[in-house]
Amino acid sequence: MKLTDRQNELVQAAIHIIANKGYEKLTTKNLAAHIGVTEAALYRHFKSKRELVTMVLCYFEYISCGVISDIKASNCSPLECINAFVMNRYEMFSDNPDLAKVMFSEELFKNDTAFISQYQSIMHIHKQEMEGFIQKAQSEGTIMPNVTPIHIFRIIIGSMRLIVSQWNMSGGAFDLKAEGKDLIETIIKMIEVKQ
């Protein structure tokens, strides 16, 4: 996915507006004011609000796929891959709280089936890759083989979603990366085969 500098600026501005004011406030007027251009200038980059939100989701998918590619290329163990993916999420959301608010916002996706489908597609990529790491770890004997991979995936991602939501609601009152690190280490201890 290749964005022009202006498109990237618009995506970041859209993320900020949605995160701080809500989806309804993502208007061409507010967006133009946020980046200091005319409303007419926006239409050179995006045809509609819907296209812009689609680009926000594409942006998140692009980041996620890049991280997964880097992890796979690193030749780390399956448990290290799981840890790397989860810690990347905590680092990314810690560095960009607005993105965390948008990606975990049910409001954004509830009224448009196209957004729901696109978001589910991103979640499916995460699920598929994480289940692959889990299954590989099970076949190598490092994760308990009698636990269904989808359940392990849901424990890991569900707990991440909860802690990020708590962090969002608290206004960033705790260190997300430190808490996330402790949490994933605890989960790994629970599912790891004791040698």
Side-chain angles (χ1 to χ4, degrees), residues 58-72:
C58 287
Y59 168 76
F60 185 66
E61 182 177 6
Y62 174 76
I63 292 170
S64 292
C65 288
V67 168
I68 289 166
S69 287
D70 290 346
I71 290 169
K72 287 171 129 178

PDB file of all heavy atoms in Angstrom, residues 58-72:
ATOM      1  N   CYS A  58      -6.845  -0.117   5.724  1.00  0.00           N
ATOM      2  CA  CYS A  58      -5.754  -0.614   4.880  1.00  0.00           C
ATOM      3  C   CYS A  58      -4.400  -0.277   5.491  1.00  0.00           C
ATOM      4  O   CYS A  58      -3.456  -1.081   5.453  1.00  0.00           O
ATOM      5  CB  CYS A  58      -5.835  -0.034   3.472  1.00  0.00           C
ATOM      6  SG  CYS A  58      -7.161  -0.709   2.472  1.00  0.00           S
ATOM      7  N   TYR A  59      -4.308   0.906   6.073  1.00  0.00           N
ATOM      8  CA  TYR A  59      -3.082   1.350   6.736  1.00  0.00           C
ATOM      9  C   TYR A  59      -2.735   0.399   7.880  1.00  0.00           C
ATOM     10  O   TYR A  59      -1.600  -0.059   8.017  1.00  0.00           O
ATOM     11  CB  TYR A  59      -3.281   2.779   7.244  1.00  0.00           C
ATOM     12  CG  TYR A  59      -2.225   3.303   8.183  1.00  0.00           C
ATOM     13  CD1 TYR A  59      -0.987   3.711   7.708  1.00  0.00           C
ATOM     14  CD2 TYR A  59      -2.477   3.416   9.547  1.00  0.00           C
ATOM     15  CE1 TYR A  59      -0.020   4.200   8.565  1.00  0.00           C
ATOM     16  CE2 TYR A  59      -1.521   3.911  10.417  1.00  0.00           C
ATOM     17  CZ  TYR A  59      -0.293   4.293   9.923  1.00  0.00           C
ATOM     18  OH  TYR A  59       0.667   4.784  10.784  1.00  0.00           O
ATOM     19  N   PHE A  60      -3.732   0.049   8.707  1.00  0.00           N
ATOM     20  CA  PHE A  60      -3.510  -0.867   9.821  1.00  0.00           C
ATOM     21  C   PHE A  60      -3.127  -2.254   9.306  1.00  0.00           C
ATOM     22  O   PHE A  60      -2.214  -2.901   9.830  1.00  0.00           O
ATOM     23  CB  PHE A  60      -4.750  -0.944  10.711  1.00  0.00           C
ATOM     24  CG  PHE A  60      -4.548  -1.784  11.939  1.00  0.00           C
ATOM     25  CD1 PHE A  60      -3.659  -1.411  12.934  1.00  0.00           C
ATOM     26  CD2 PHE A  60      -5.252  -2.968  12.108  1.00  0.00           C
ATOM     27  CE1 PHE A  60      -3.461  -2.187  14.066  1.00  0.00           C
ATOM     28  CE2 PHE A  60      -5.069  -3.757  13.230  1.00  0.00           C
ATOM     29  CZ  PHE A  60      -4.170  -3.364  14.215  1.00  0.00           C
ATOM     30  N   GLU A  61      -3.794  -2.705   8.265  1.00  0.00           N
ATOM     31  CA  GLU A  61      -3.486  -4.014   7.677  1.00  0.00           C
ATOM     32  C   GLU A  61      -2.065  -4.039   7.123  1.00  0.00           C
ATOM     33  O   GLU A  61      -1.325  -5.008   7.299  1.00  0.00           O
ATOM     34  CB  GLU A  61      -4.496  -4.341   6.576  1.00  0.00           C
ATOM     35  CG  GLU A  61      -4.282  -5.695   5.944  1.00  0.00           C
ATOM     36  CD  GLU A  61      -5.342  -6.033   4.906  1.00  0.00           C
ATOM     37  OE1 GLU A  61      -6.184  -5.175   4.577  1.00  0.00           O
ATOM     38  OE2 GLU A  61      -5.317  -7.175   4.420  1.00  0.00           O
ATOM     39  N   TYR A  62      -1.668  -2.958   6.470  1.00  0.00           N
ATOM     40  CA  TYR A  62      -0.325  -2.846   5.899  1.00  0.00           C
ATOM     41  C   TYR A  62       0.733  -2.942   6.997  1.00  0.00           C
ATOM     42  O   TYR A  62       1.719  -3.678   6.865  1.00  0.00           O
ATOM     43  CB  TYR A  62      -0.212  -1.519   5.145  1.00  0.00           C
ATOM     44  CG  TYR A  62       1.157  -1.197   4.634  1.00  0.00           C
ATOM     45  CD1 TYR A  62       1.669  -1.835   3.501  1.00  0.00           C
ATOM     46  CD2 TYR A  62       1.953  -0.245   5.272  1.00  0.00           C
ATOM     47  CE1 TYR A  62       2.941  -1.533   3.028  1.00  0.00           C
ATOM     48  CE2 TYR A  62       3.220   0.065   4.803  1.00  0.00           C
ATOM     49  CZ  TYR A  62       3.707  -0.584   3.685  1.00  0.00           C
ATOM     50  OH  TYR A  62       4.961  -0.289   3.220  1.00  0.00           O
ATOM     51  N   ILE A  63       0.509  -2.232   8.100  1.00  0.00           N
ATOM     52  CA  ILE A  63       1.440  -2.278   9.228  1.00  0.00           C
ATOM     53  C   ILE A  63       1.510  -3.699   9.776  1.00  0.00           C
ATOM     54  O   ILE A  63       2.590  -4.239  10.013  1.00  0.00           O
ATOM     55  CB  ILE A  63       1.005  -1.291  10.337  1.00  0.00           C
ATOM     56  CG1 ILE A  63       1.156   0.152   9.872  1.00  0.00           C
ATOM     57  CG2 ILE A  63       1.805  -1.519  11.612  1.00  0.00           C
ATOM     58  CD1 ILE A  63       0.512   1.154  10.816  1.00  0.00           C
ATOM     59  N   SER A  64       0.354  -4.306   9.997  1.00  0.00           N
ATOM     60  CA  SER A  64       0.286  -5.656  10.567  1.00  0.00           C
ATOM     61  C   SER A  64       0.993  -6.679   9.693  1.00  0.00           C
ATOM     62  O   SER A  64       1.758  -7.512  10.190  1.00  0.00           O
ATOM     63  CB  SER A  64      -1.173  -6.078  10.757  1.00  0.00           C
ATOM     64  OG  SER A  64      -1.778  -5.305  11.748  1.00  0.00           O
ATOM     65  N   CYS A  65       0.740  -6.621   8.403  1.00  0.00           N
ATOM     66  CA  CYS A  65       1.357  -7.587   7.488  1.00  0.00           C
ATOM     67  C   CYS A  65       2.872  -7.396   7.440  1.00  0.00           C
ATOM     68  O   CYS A  65       3.626  -8.374   7.360  1.00  0.00           O
ATOM     69  CB  CYS A  65       0.752  -7.475   6.095  1.00  0.00           C
ATOM     70  SG  CYS A  65      -0.937  -8.112   6.038  1.00  0.00           S
ATOM     71  N   GLY A  66       3.322  -6.151   7.533  1.00  0.00           N
ATOM     72  CA  GLY A  66       4.757  -5.873   7.565  1.00  0.00           C
ATOM     73  C   GLY A  66       5.414  -6.468   8.792  1.00  0.00           C
ATOM     74  O   GLY A  66       6.505  -7.059   8.726  1.00  0.00           O
ATOM     75  N   VAL A  67       4.747  -6.336   9.930  1.00  0.00           N
ATOM     76  CA  VAL A  67       5.267  -6.886  11.184  1.00  0.00           C
ATOM     77  C   VAL A  67       5.334  -8.416  11.094  1.00  0.00           C
ATOM     78  O   VAL A  67       6.347  -9.018  11.463  1.00  0.00           O
ATOM     79  CB  VAL A  67       4.388  -6.449  12.382  1.00  0.00           C
ATOM     80  CG1 VAL A  67       4.730  -7.229  13.638  1.00  0.00           C
ATOM     81  CG2 VAL A  67       4.539  -4.953  12.616  1.00  0.00           C
ATOM     82  N   ILE A  68       4.285  -9.018  10.593  1.00  0.00           N
ATOM     83  CA  ILE A  68       4.255 -10.481  10.460  1.00  0.00           C
ATOM     84  C   ILE A  68       5.373 -10.952   9.534  1.00  0.00           C
ATOM     85  O   ILE A  68       6.081 -11.920   9.829  1.00  0.00           O
ATOM     86  CB  ILE A  68       2.873 -10.959   9.980  1.00  0.00           C
ATOM     87  CG1 ILE A  68       1.837 -10.775  11.107  1.00  0.00           C
ATOM     88  CG2 ILE A  68       2.922 -12.418   9.530  1.00  0.00           C
ATOM     89  CD1 ILE A  68       0.393 -10.898  10.669  1.00  0.00           C
ATOM     90  N   SER A  69       5.588 -10.266   8.424  1.00  0.00           N
ATOM     91  CA  SER A  69       6.677 -10.622   7.494  1.00  0.00           C
ATOM     92  C   SER A  69       8.031 -10.530   8.175  1.00  0.00           C
ATOM     93  O   SER A  69       8.882 -11.415   8.012  1.00  0.00           O
ATOM     94  CB  SER A  69       6.670  -9.704   6.271  1.00  0.00           C
ATOM     95  OG  SER A  69       5.609 -10.011   5.439  1.00  0.00           O
ATOM     96  N   ASP A  70       8.244  -9.455   8.941  1.00  0.00           N
ATOM     97  CA  ASP A  70       9.517  -9.282   9.650  1.00  0.00           C
ATOM     98  C   ASP A  70       9.734 -10.389  10.673  1.00  0.00           C
ATOM     99  O   ASP A  70      10.846 -10.911  10.810  1.00  0.00           O
ATOM    100  CB  ASP A  70       9.569  -7.919  10.356  1.00  0.00           C
ATOM    101  CG  ASP A  70       9.666  -6.748   9.384  1.00  0.00           C
ATOM    102  OD1 ASP A  70       9.960  -6.974   8.185  1.00  0.00           O
ATOM    103  OD2 ASP A  70       9.441  -5.595   9.819  1.00  0.00           O
ATOM    104  N   ILE A  71       8.679 -10.743  11.390  1.00  0.00           N
ATOM    105  CA  ILE A  71       8.788 -11.803  12.400  1.00  0.00           C
ATOM    106  C   ILE A  71       9.121 -13.137  11.733  1.00  0.00           C
ATOM    107  O   ILE A  71      10.016 -13.852  12.178  1.00  0.00           O
ATOM    108  CB  ILE A  71       7.483 -11.916  13.222  1.00  0.00           C
ATOM    109  CG1 ILE A  71       7.331 -10.689  14.138  1.00  0.00           C
ATOM    110  CG2 ILE A  71       7.460 -13.200  14.040  1.00  0.00           C
ATOM    111  CD1 ILE A  71       5.973 -10.558  14.794  1.00  0.00           C
ATOM    112  N   LYS A  72       8.441 -13.445  10.639  1.00  0.00           N
ATOM    113  CA  LYS A  72       8.696 -14.710   9.945  1.00  0.00           C
ATOM    114  C   LYS A  72      10.112 -14.759   9.380  1.00  0.00           C
ATOM    115  O   LYS A  72      10.740 -15.816   9.351  1.00  0.00           O
ATOM    116  CB  LYS A  72       7.682 -14.904   8.820  1.00  0.00           C
ATOM    117  CG  LYS A  72       6.298 -15.259   9.329  1.00  0.00           C
ATOM    118  CD  LYS A  72       5.321 -15.221   8.191  1.00  0.00           C
ATOM    119  CE  LYS A  72       4.515 -16.472   8.112  1.00  0.00           C
ATOM    120  NZ  LYS A  72       3.535 -16.449   7.040  1.00  0.00           N
TER     121      LYS A  72
END
